[in-house]
Amino acid sequence: MGERTIPIRPAPSQTFEYLSTRKDELVGWARKFSLFPYPFVTACCAMEFMAVSSTPYDTDRFGAALPRFSPRQSDLLMVVGTVTHKQAPILLKVYEQMCEPKWVMAFGACATSGGFYQNYAAVAGIDRIIPVDIYVPGCPPRPETVIDGIMRLQDRIARSRHPIVTKDF
Amino acid sequence: MAAVTNLVQQGFASVASDTYLSHGMLVLVLPREALAATVATLKAEHGFDMLLDVTAVDWPEDALRFEVVWHLFSTRDLVRIRLKTRVAAQDPVVPSLCPLYGSADFLERECHDMYGIVFEGNPDLRPILLYEGFEGHPLRKDYPKQREQPLVPYRAGELER
Amino acid sequence: MDMRIRNPIQPAFETPEREDAMIVSIGPSHPATHGTIQIMAELDGERVIRTDVHCGYLHRGFEKECEDHTWHTLIPYVDRLNYCSGLINDFAYCDAVERLMGVEITRRCTVLRTLLAEYSRLADHMTCIAAALMELGAMTAFLYMVMIRDYVYEHLAAVTGARVTYSFGRIGGLANDLPEGWLARLEEILTQYEDFVGRVHGLMDRNRIFIDRMRDVGVLTTAEAINYGFTGPVLRSTGAPRDLRKDAPYLAYPELDFEIPVGIKGDNYDRYYVRMREMDESVHMIRQCVEMLEPGPLNVDDRRCTLPPKDLVYGEIESLINHFKLVMEGPQVPPGEIYNAHEGANGELGFYIVSVGGGRPYKLHVRSPSFVHMGGVHRMLNGYQLADIIPTFGSVNMIGGECDR
């Protein structure tokens, strides 16, 4: 995960470790079920993004339905579609404007690896520019695949540490 | 439709270096100097009121390397026509159709981006599909397909190919 | 200031004309501009004085990429041009190559391609209207349309294998024939479509707010539209009955009975209504195609482009070699050039193909309606309010894949 890994330091005591684990579970549960995606939509995957947000697939059941079109108000950056070299500065700008905690989903083959556009124009995977938490394959991915990706991301959020008061707690 | 095609073919037979039919469409191969006047006449007298497309073909082995291709359409007679001209790589300048057609603006910008054809008279030849700082013209045959020119430096630890 | 982030464009104007005017960049990561268009707008309060439209943020190098692929293996790239109606792109491309090769498709293929093209057009118009209405705030209409569109996607997945990008056309025919029960399900979907589109009509057509936001907004005259190269529903909304399916018929359109809906004013409301009526006409055409469909061979029996049947490939050496050459080298297309246009959902979708013989194109250029429309959209934006940019842009139906290629 590169520069976004939270370093694990030895805990001062077992009580501290127990409390911080329980706190992490609670905060993780709250964060995973209230994802506000920023749909950074560019290409064909947009069709499946629209489909997964509506009936019958519905990301609202997972708490990830309400898109926030401002990076300041969102925490899940869904990069939907091909990112070209022209679009790359925009993507980086949007990513850096988002506040922690934030997660990135590479939605589709083009965001994951450039897809089958191996030429001068497309970035061969957005992880060359920003760190990615979950890769959803497909060209475009079926809505079920997207939901699977969201659920795996939610598991990851649930399992990770959430220091909210200090650097460690 | 055949009547208009014949009329145009006869009308420009003296100016064009070649005229032929390509799968039902009349093609006029013109010298560069005759282009502006021909298009103006086609628009004013023969009713070709829509510029459909501007593109170029790169023939690197030929002396006149670039073949610039225009497609015009007449909404009155429902006829299409193709105009072609050849320019050399050292002097890839053709007259712009911006004064005649509004759609020429973006179409010529794209052709300039991709091939480097300079459209004299187009007030705005900024990159449209490519970006500021991109060097070269990708659709030329000597531009390697996979030469990327990233605007954003890749993250540390990523392999650069 | 982060020096790593460089500006990819050079705006046409950086200082406002008037002292109290402000320049705002709308996009490119903006829901209303479909994520790939940047509009630098100079605003005097809420009024738009002038705009500078930038596209190219989704330029994926389609033409260069296609020069490296065989005539068949580039079909997935063609699909992703106007990805809302992928089948129309497929068939337009295959038709162009077939004309260049002198291949005539079978009767069943002609009717089936027409049916599927109209079905795809239905999905595209539904997407356009759903997105445009959602951007105005009409969430219910969006959900109705997207539900029917989802049925269409699943139904197309039953025949092509994919929901959005089908890669279904082949030079000389189609990838495979219809499965059992497909036509019965088609009729079910069309009936449900009629129900749901009736509800959308009820919600929108006489809605005071909708009319106030769409009538007399984004007006385009016919002369302006032709000058800027507009075709398709945008041109028809200005009153000009230009449609390639009637003007230069191809596939099975000469035999179908359908009308060309035209608008009266060339404003947003007309574009919305023209698309709604075109969807109804598409449904009418689909039903006629179902009547016309007869059993028969799907792919033309021409060894230059169609793969031989598998039992022959395994049985005799000529078919094996033929299969090998078609897959490895691609169908051999004679030298020549062609410009072939079909009526895409947005207008004239033209393919200009140059072949020097061999299995790969020398040049494959797409005349994309969305790109040309972006050159003229400033005529519909200047002079109106900032909030009018959203519905006007939505009504033009700019598809990034087609615009930037």
Side-chain angles (χ1 to χ4, degrees):
Chain A
M1 289 239 304
E3 61 265 19
R4 288 185 58 237
T5 315
I6 299 168
I8 299 173
R9 291 153 42 130
S13 70
Q14 281 195 332
T15 317
F16 180 87
E17 212 174 291
Y18 172 76
L19 286 175
S20 100
T21 314
R22 300 305 272 165
K23 179 268 303 168
D24 279 342
E25 279 178 25
L26 177 66
V27 176
W29 171 87
R31 282 181 175 167
K32 82 179 186 185
F33 283 135
S34 64
L35 287 170
F36 286 93
Y38 179 105
F40 192 94
V41 160
T42 48
C44 349
C45 281
M47 300 296 105
E48 290 298 23
F49 175 74
M50 282 163 73
V52 80
S53 306
S54 336
T55 59
Y57 298 103
D58 199 7
T59 45
D60 211 356
R61 299 178 285 159
F62 302 90
L66 296 176
R68 287 285 167 262
F69 292 103
S70 161
R72 304 290 191 198
Q73 298 172 357
S74 56
D75 55 11
L76 172 63
L77 178 64
M78 295 174 89
V79 185
V80 182
T82 323
V83 172
T84 60
H85 283 291
K86 191 169 182 177
Q87 185 83 298
I90 317 295
L91 176 64
L92 186 60
K93 206 171 199 176
V94 166
Y95 176 75
E96 292 195 341
Q97 286 178 342
M98 286 168 73
C99 310
E100 292 283 346
K102 56 187 175 184
W103 298 275
V104 177
M105 172 190 280
F107 186 128
C110 289
T112 306
S113 66
F116 62 180
Y117 291 103
Q118 301 292 317
N119 54 40
Y120 60 89
V123 177
I126 58 166
D127 52 10
R128 293 188 168 200
I129 304 170
I130 55 178
V132 175
D133 290 289
I134 186 103
Y135 298 87
V136 180
C139 192
R142 274 196 67 95
E144 291 94 333
T145 318
V146 179
I147 290 176
D148 187 37
I150 293 175
M151 287 170 68
R152 282 172 193 251
L153 179 65
Q154 287 176 332
D155 286 344
R156 171 174 289 199
I157 295 171
R159 284 195 311 264
S160 53
R161 288 170 171 261
H162 299 278
I164 50 176
V165 183
T166 66
K167 269 204 320 296
D168 301 309
F169 187 75
Chain B
M1 177 177 141
V4 176
T5 309
N6 286 335
L7 206 64
V8 170
Q9 194 167 12
Q10 284 154 19
F12 294 98
S14 52
V15 177
S17 53
D18 194 10
T19 70
Y20 56 91
L21 281 179
S22 159
H23 295 274
M25 187 187 295
L26 178 65
V27 183
L28 295 178
V29 184
L30 303 163
R32 172 172 55 180
E33 301 73 32
L35 192 78
T38 308
V39 178
T41 318
L42 281 171
K43 182 177 182 189
E45 288 173 35
H46 297 276
F48 284 92
D49 46 2
M50 191 187 284
L51 173 64
L52 284 179
D53 199 19
V54 180
T55 186
V57 190
D58 184 16
W59 303 102
E61 294 92 34
D62 292 356
L64 290 178
R65 178 177 176 180
F66 297 115
E67 184 178 43
V68 189
V69 181
W70 289 262
H71 286 92
L72 299 176
F73 178 58
S74 161
T75 57
R76 183 188 71 192
D77 303 307
L78 305 176
V79 174
R80 281 186 187 72
I81 189 173
R82 187 182 305 151
L83 303 174
K84 289 191 187 187
T85 191
R86 286 257 191 168
V87 288
Q90 305 84 2
D91 174 37
V93 183
V94 291
S96 163
L97 298 185
C98 276
L100 293 169
Y101 300 103
S103 49
D105 192 6
F106 267 37
L107 290 167
E108 289 173 356
R109 273 173 77 180
E110 183 206 339
C111 196
H112 174 257
D113 241 356
M114 293 287 124
Y115 286 97
I117 312 286
V118 176
F119 290 87
E120 206 169 20
N122 187 325
D124 179 16
L125 278 182
R126 288 173 297 158
I128 187 169
L129 293 184
L130 299 172
Y131 39 93
E132 291 289 327
F134 192 95
E135 282 164 14
H137 300 280
L139 277 181
R140 292 188 178 188
K141 293 290 176 182
D142 50 8
Y143 188 95
K145 184 184 82 156
Q146 294 192 329
R147 178 189 296 163
E148 296 181 53
Q149 300 181 31
L151 274 182
V152 173
Y154 292 156
R155 286 167 62 219
E158 284 295 321
L159 286 170
E160 293 204 26
R161 276 187 249 154
Chain C
M1 175 82 188
D2 192 340
M3 298 312 280
R4 286 183 303 156
I5 303 180
R6 286 155 57 185
N7 192 358
I9 58 137
Q10 187 202 340
F13 43 84
E14 267 169 357
T15 49
E17 251 175 16
R18 277 174 243 182
E19 240 183 59
D20 50 354
M22 187 168 86
I23 296 181
V24 164
S25 162
I26 302 167
S29 178
H30 192 286
T33 65
H34 302 181
T36 55
I37 295 288
Q38 183 174 21
I39 303 174
M40 304 290 283
E42 183 175 335
L43 302 172
D44 172 23
E46 284 283 318
R47 190 154 288 278
V48 176
I49 304 169
R50 52 181 175 152
T51 52
D52 176 28
V53 177
H54 291 266
C55 47
Y57 285 95
L58 194 60
H59 174 65
R60 300 185 277 195
F62 166 80
E63 291 187 34
K64 189 78 179 179
E65 192 71 60
C66 284
E67 288 171 14
D68 250 5
H69 288 257
T70 70
W71 297 97
H72 266 140
T73 55
L74 67 86
I75 289 176
Y77 292 98
V78 168
D79 246 346
R80 286 152 175 81
L81 288 173
N82 185 342
Y83 38 78
C84 297
S85 53
L87 289 169
I88 299 182
N89 310 323
D90 277 354
F91 301 152
Y93 165 75
C94 288
D95 192 28
V97 180
E98 283 154 11
R99 284 191 193 193
L100 202 49
M101 282 178 85
V103 168
E104 274 232 27
I105 52 175
T106 64
R107 171 75 187 156
R108 184 173 170 86
C109 182
T110 309
V111 177
L112 203 48
R113 276 190 183 179
T114 315
L115 193 160
L116 291 171
E118 288 309 308
Y119 209 27
S120 235
R121 191 188 311 273
L122 192 67
D124 193 316
H125 284 334
M126 274 199 281
T127 311
C128 169
I129 290 176
L133 293 180
M134 178 181 67
E135 283 156 12
L136 285 178
M139 226 17 225
T140 312
F142 168 80
L143 289 171
Y144 281 152
M145 291 270 174
V146 171
M147 193 160 108
I148 299 295
R149 192 191 73 158
D150 210 86
Y151 294 158
V152 172
Y153 278 173
E154 282 299 325
H155 197 219
L156 280 170
V159 63
T160 65
R163 282 165 51 102
V164 180
T165 48
Y166 313 101
S167 306
F168 192 54
R170 298 286 181 270
I171 298 165
L174 298 172
N176 46 258
D177 210 334
L178 301 177
E180 289 264 330
W182 198 84
L183 293 171
R185 175 75 187 135
L186 178 65
E187 191 50 49
E188 280 174 33
I189 291 177
L190 295 181
T191 317
Q192 278 183 305
Y193 155 84
E194 281 167 347
D195 173 24
F196 277 81
V197 91
R199 297 185 200 185
V200 174
H201 273 296
L203 281 172
M204 294 281 112
D205 284 6
R206 289 166 182 271
N207 188 320
R208 181 77 250 160
I209 301 173
F210 185 70
I211 294 174
D212 275 345
R213 282 212 69 179
M214 301 281 262
R215 255 287 170 239
D216 296 320
V217 171
V219 176
L220 200 63
T221 60
T222 307
E224 245 182 345
I226 292 177
N227 187 28
Y228 280 96
F230 282 93
T231 48
V234 182
L235 180 62
R236 291 195 276 280
S237 77
T238 66
R242 293 275 71 82
D243 188 328
L244 278 169
R245 295 172 290 172
K246 288 274 194 205
D247 297 340
Y250 50 93
L251 289 179
Y253 291 110
E255 305 161 45
L256 294 178
D257 160 54
F258 62 101
E259 289 176 354
I260 306 294
V262 291
I264 46 175
K265 285 192 189 177
D267 58 13
N268 286 344
Y269 191 89
D270 275 344
R271 284 187 279 276
Y272 152 81
Y273 211 80
V274 161
R275 289 207 170 90
M276 294 292 269
R277 287 289 300 116
E278 275 189 19
M279 288 203 292
D280 293 339
E281 292 297 321
S282 287
V283 167
H284 183 49
M285 281 193 259
I286 291 171
R287 289 197 167 119
Q288 291 173 62
C289 284
V290 172
E291 298 291 313
M292 281 161 55
L293 205 55
E294 279 161 14
L298 186 68
N299 292 342
V300 68
D301 189 21
D302 189 333
R303 291 289 172 263
R304 289 178 295 161
C305 53
T306 311
L307 292 176
K310 270 292 186 276
D311 52 341
L312 286 183
V313 171
Y314 289 131
E316 52 175 35
I317 190 69
E318 294 87 8
S319 292
L320 180 70
I321 297 174
N322 189 8
H323 186 283
F324 180 82
K325 282 205 173 272
L326 276 178
V327 171
M328 296 302 286
E329 293 174 3
Q332 304 294 308
V333 173
E337 59 179 21
I338 188 170
Y339 175 84
N340 189 44
H342 276 205
E343 180 73 19
N346 284 338
E348 173 162 339
L349 176 67
F351 280 89
Y352 176 60
I353 300 179
V354 176
S355 162
V356 290
R360 297 179 172 203
Y362 191 77
K363 178 181 170 71
L364 175 57
H365 176 75
V366 181
R367 188 265 175 202
S368 82
S370 297
F371 180 68
V372 181
H373 293 180
M374 284 300 103
V377 79
H378 65 275
R379 305 287 298 186
M380 294 193 270
L381 297 178
N382 294 357
Y384 295 97
Q385 310 273 20
L386 173 64
D388 293 331
I389 293 182
I390 313 304
T392 308
F393 204 87
S395 71
V396 170
N397 197 28
M398 189 290 308
I399 304 290
E402 196 179 55
C403 177
D404 300 333
R405 284 152 288 144

